[in-house]
Amino acid sequence: MSIELRHFRCFLAIADTLSITRAAERLHLTQPAVSRTLRQLEQEMGIHLVDRSTHHLALTPDGLSFRDRAAIAVTAFDRALGHAHHTAWPLRLGHAWSAAGTDTTALLRRWHEEHPETPLELLRIDDRTAGLARGDVDAALLRGEVRAPGLITEQLTTEPRVAGLPADDPLAHRTALSLTELTGRTIALNTVSGTTTLDLWPASARPSSTITIGNTDDWLAAITGGRAVGVTTSATAEMHPHPSMAYVPLTDAPAVPVVIAWRDSTGHPRIPDLIALAHEVMGRGTGSTGGAPPRTR
């Protein structure tokens, strides 16, 4: 037996739903057919991808590792079929929040002017790599440290951190704050794609109360609703002004690096042009954490 694309799609449906029943419903197959396809894939690869020893399915470490590679393969196949019917090959640029800040419009317009034959699609994906590791995008604008394997990054700029407060908060009218002035507050932490953790505070003055959220919209709602305060970068203040929100500079919080990232495998031929333009528009950073692909036009 040889592995086919249907095996990948079946595994990804199971990985997404963690259920044979729901995966079968998604694929319009029977449960035995889904189980059989998964078993064939595992036998052919010689590894266990799914732990079925409990009432709830879970991906094994090999399954977690294989999930991203399978997603990249399926996405590449689907895109290749799409290109057969369209002359343009869109370049997909992911971001988890705030894109390129106030440089977003300039970046998109400059690209359209200089590369009109290649549409640049800006996609927000609530994921630490904005969908890059899974193959959902070709490149991504990310903030903070990026540790995902198989990615190359180049720093573009840095952004100062600010506190996010309800507009009627007693601290909202201050011109600047320190982290320790937020210690007694409940902190909203974006654990999916955010850059703020309790390690930002001194060990002796860490907040004891937090709420966990998964995206910028929920972060804003938690703060404007009076449930918490937060820490973000200046790009959020620029991209998400709100009448019920106040952003106050933090004097003792380190700036956050903004990087452009791409996979270390063959990708969209216009990625080098996007990297060059991002540097030009957003400002030169400190350099690459991997070998940059050759610039081509």
Side-chain angles (χ1 to χ4, degrees), residues 86 138 144 164 191 206 219 273 280:
H86 301 86
D138 302 296
T191 57
R206 286 177 182 164
W219 185 85
D273 297 311
E280 187 176 340

Side-chain angles (χ1 to χ4, degrees), residues 14-280:
I14 296 171
D16 286 344
T17 62
L18 294 179
S19 166
I20 297 294
T21 300
R22 290 194 294 273
E25 292 172 350
R26 176 182 295 189
L27 297 169
H28 304 291
L29 298 172
T30 65
Q31 293 181 44
V34 169
S35 296
R36 183 170 58 252
T37 303
L38 173 62
R39 185 168 59 252
Q40 290 171 346
L41 178 62
E42 290 180 319
Q43 290 174 347
E44 189 71 15
M45 295 184 64
I47 57 176
H48 289 292
L49 300 170
V50 177
D51 182 0
R52 293 169 289 244
S53 61
T54 65
H55 293 296
H56 301 284
L57 295 184
L59 298 185
T60 66
D62 284 332
L64 289 169
S65 176
F66 180 66
R67 178 181 58 186
D68 289 340
R69 300 197 302 274
I72 290 172
V74 171
T75 299
F77 178 83
D78 290 341
R79 292 191 72 192
L81 286 183
H83 300 330
H85 303 287
H86 301 86
T87 56
W89 182 357
L91 177 59
R92 302 161 304 168
L93 177 61
H95 71 101
W97 45 280
S98 296
T102 54
D103 293 321
T104 302
T105 298
L107 180 66
L108 295 176
R109 290 189 174 183
R110 283 280 305 276
W111 181 268
H112 178 68
E113 292 170 359
E114 298 178 20
H115 306 281
E117 74 289 350
T118 304
L120 180 60
E121 299 178 354
L122 185 65
L123 303 173
R124 173 183 149 182
I125 299 176
D126 295 319
D127 175 275
R128 183 65 191 95
T129 67
L132 182 60
R134 300 196 309 264
D136 293 338
V137 296
D138 302 296
L141 294 170
L142 305 173
R143 289 170 172 82
E145 185 177 3
V146 180
R147 297 181 178 179
L151 301 186
I152 301 172
T153 65
E154 286 187 9
Q155 183 169 316
L156 299 170
T157 186
T158 59
E159 293 171 348
R161 279 187 166 100
V162 299
L165 305 162
D168 58 356
D169 189 281
L171 300 178
H173 299 293
R174 294 275 296 276
T175 57
L177 292 170
S178 66
L179 285 168
T180 54
E181 290 180 277
L182 304 178
T183 297
R185 304 297 191 87
T186 297
I187 307 297
L189 299 178
N190 181 343
T191 57
V192 175
S193 59
T195 59
T196 301
T197 69
L198 293 182
D199 291 337
L200 191 62
W201 279 262
S204 59
R206 286 177 182 164
S208 59
S209 177
T210 64
I211 60 173
T212 299
I213 50 88
N215 57 57
T216 300
D217 294 336
D218 292 348
W219 185 85
L220 291 167
I223 295 172
T224 57
R227 297 177 57 212
V229 300
V231 175
T232 184
T233 75
S234 57
T236 304
E238 295 159 352
M239 297 293 286
H240 299 281
H242 194 290
S244 299
M245 188 84 173
Y247 297 97
V248 182
L250 287 166
T251 59
D252 56 350
V256 175
V258 182
V259 305
I260 187 167
W262 66 98
R263 291 186 297 276
D264 62 358
S265 56
T266 302
H268 197 292
R270 288 298 183 188
I271 289 176
D273 297 311
L274 178 61
I275 296 168
L277 183 61
H279 275 298
E280 187 176 340

